[in-house]
Amino acid sequence: MTDTATTAAQASGPDETRRDFLLMATSAVGAVGVALACWPFIDSMNPSADVLALSSTGVDLSAIEEGQSITVVWRGKPVFIRHRTPEEIETAGAAPMDDLIDPQADTDRVLKPEWLIMIGICTHLGCIPLGQKVGDPRGDFDGWFCPCHGSHYDTSGRIRKGPAPRNMAIPPYEFTDETTIKIG
Amino acid sequence: MTKPQWNNGLVRWIDDRMPIFTLMHHELVDYPTPKNFNYWWNFGSLAGIVLVIMIVTGIFLAMSYTPHVDYAFESVERIVRDVNYGWLLRYLHMNGGSIFFIVVYIHLFRGLYYGSYKAPRELLWILGVLIIIVMMATAFMGYVLPWGQMSFWAATVITNLFSAVPVFGEAIVTWLWGGFSVDNPTLNRFFSFHYLLPFVLFALVFLHLWALHVHKSNNPLGIDVKGPQDTIPFSPYYTIKDLFGLGVLMVFYLFFVFFAPDFFGEPDNYIKADPLVTPTHIVPEWYFLPYYAILRAIPDKLGGVVAMFGSILILLILPWLDRSKVRSARFRPIYKQFFWILVVDCFVLGWIGAKPPEGIYITIGRIATAYYFLHFLVIIPLISMVERPKPLPESISTAVTKGGAAVKEAT
Amino acid sequence: MARLTLIAAALVVAAGTATAAEAPKAPSHDWGFQGIFGSYDRAALRRGYQVYAEVCAGCHSLRLVAYRNLMEIGFTEDEVTEIASEFEVLDGPDDEGEMFTRPAKAADYFVPPFPNDNAARFANNGSLPPDLSLITKARKGGPDYLYALLTGYREEPPEGFQMMDGMVYNDYFPGHQISMPQPLFEDMVEYADGTPATVDQMSEDVTVFLAWAGSPELEARKSLGIKVLLFTIVLTAMLYALKRRIWADVH
């Protein structure tokens, strides 16, 4: 377009290669720099140190009667704690593996059979299933029922019917003594 | 300038329907730019980039900030201590404010020196002044958000300026506060505005660029572009020059961020706001010091406030105060001297703004303030009448070839 | 009434600071955490924590620091749990709606010595012992000032200097009259590493500890900073070379 511009474009051979190399190298270094600079921004949205530090919760189970449930909060999520009746343990253990959408034995889901402790979030789209309170609908399998899209969970919190793909998750926990657990 | 051909199919498809790529090509690549810019011309694009850095860091900081008097201070400390790279985001933002003002002030004084405010670029200049005003409002409200002692007392003092308004003063201040003192409602609205105004700034910058691209850039000689021999395409010449300038600025900026993050700050702002105790020494951030000096130089409350706002608003009429047809100070021997005196005057005002208002400082402050207004209202119009400018070069390209490039020419 | 006392107390403080015009500049001290490669001396941090915990913590809170943060400066998880469990924090409400106290956990923040500012003022003759979380950033002179203050006490003010009741003379406190009596005396603490606990040593250690409390990110910041700056300088140099190349044909 101008004289200078055309001369710039038609620079002689060796110069041209040197410039191309320099251009590519500089562009590459610059691109790496910009990409690396994105990381602090992305990482700042991950859980912060104070949030991670609050990741364990202690619960005293002694006051929960057989057949009762309570909900506690761990990492901002509801954790269902159910003191199961012998019948519930019985039905949970008797369920044939072939009938399960996400096959898992009841014994693999509890530390002590009378205590079912799981994260009370439907694995479909994150709603909180009903079944903790006395008058709640508990679904076809007498466990929990998610009102959002109709997932039915059994007395072991396993998905039996409906759109949810997996059983309700078991959080890491341990018994610190007979009646106290530490979640997380 | 011909219409560029696009090789990529998707680009061509979009461009046929909305010629955004062609537009960008014309404005950022082909864009004919005077070939004789010096490095002072880097600061416009630098300011734009710093604005983007401020917006991005600000958006991420807002994700962890709590605009409440009981939590604001703690939430800022939580960002520094607990949020991943929170300290980096905060220090980038905090020091970015100072860097932004450094860059914009240099850009402003470059405009003053080379007469960039003169016809036909008056509106471009006015938009620039508006940008500075909005920037100052944004910076002030941002400074309040960490809710330290300086935040609180800056908010109190600055909002109280409006009490100088006759009759309605008190009502205006109460309205600004949303209460009877600077308190939670004030903090909330400042946060809201602090988030909003940068986008207003962005829009103003767009208008500023639009106005720029109509009559194109001024240049160190201040003479008009005569033809294609005076210009080079913006890309790659000025893109690479701007990128290099950006690299230099980043080294300067990041040095403060990583090694002296509190350099521009005041220790008192690490004490949580206490409405019952005023720090012994209230000083604004450095970029407000000259205005603060002007405010305190006038012994009358309303007068001080008017002078302070006047000191920046006066720039709006500068294109009409300066009658000289010659733009660049290179060819204006008298103006050039007074330009440097003004620069010194502004530094003196800044220095006085940081000093307690007592003894000799008051006198110096008054003289410097008087001179500031004298410069714009009397000296500039007078010079433009009496000064005999040096002969202007015929064109940019003749000046460039005759000047420093003579040696290069031999090659 | 409470409000009135509060305002009165504030006025006393304000009056105290108003007369404060000049204070000598604290002499600069060589701190290992300053400079581009600076980092905190781990042994000093540990000793400094001990001084804070055994002396300062009687009156001064450190509310922005959590017990878990001590792990960043070399305390083990068990030590931190142990330290935290010595303090009681208010929690609740429990199932019956009652508030209760429990031993502090690693995630809890340093338990302040007083439940609120008024209690702190009441226990300290009307003056509020400032929180120390940011003390080295919140004072002109930073760590130098803090060290100078801690070692700058004099039993008798210079002749002719009028002292207010209940104040003590300090060379470096603005106005020289400080309501905090000299806090550190020789052998006040017994360092586990056997370092002699002189006033100078304790002042230096606690200053290092409080500098860390104020800027716990310092080491991460500096080490990242060196890499980022080197990278930026290299990139800028390359951009400059490219700029020279591209502009070579313009005249």
Side-chain angles (χ1 to χ4, degrees), chain B residues 35 74 81 91 237 258 262, chain C residues 63 213 221 247 250-251:
Chain B
K35 63 205 280 189
E74 284 77 4
R81 289 156 190 269
Y91 292 148
Y237 298 101
F258 286 107
D262 294 312
Chain C
R63 62 196 171 85
R221 170 158 58 78
W247 278 74
V250 181
H251 28 72

Side-chain angles (χ1 to χ4, degrees), chain C residues 20-81:
Chain C
E22 29 43 280
K25 198 176 174 324
S28 72
H29 190 87
D30 193 16
W31 301 106
F33 52 84
Q34 288 171 334
I36 291 188
F37 299 100
S39 64
Y40 296 113
D41 173 351
R42 286 293 180 279
L45 278 176
R46 203 169 241 274
R47 292 194 300 266
Y49 166 73
Q50 192 181 348
V51 175
Y52 168 77
E54 291 179 20
V55 184
C56 318
C59 298
H60 292 275
S61 56
L62 197 65
R63 62 196 171 85
L64 297 176
V65 181
Y67 295 109
R68 65 182 157 84
N69 293 134
L70 292 173
M71 282 186 249
E72 296 157 26
I73 58 171
F75 285 78
T76 64
E77 191 166 356
D78 290 341
E79 282 174 315
V80 169
T81 317

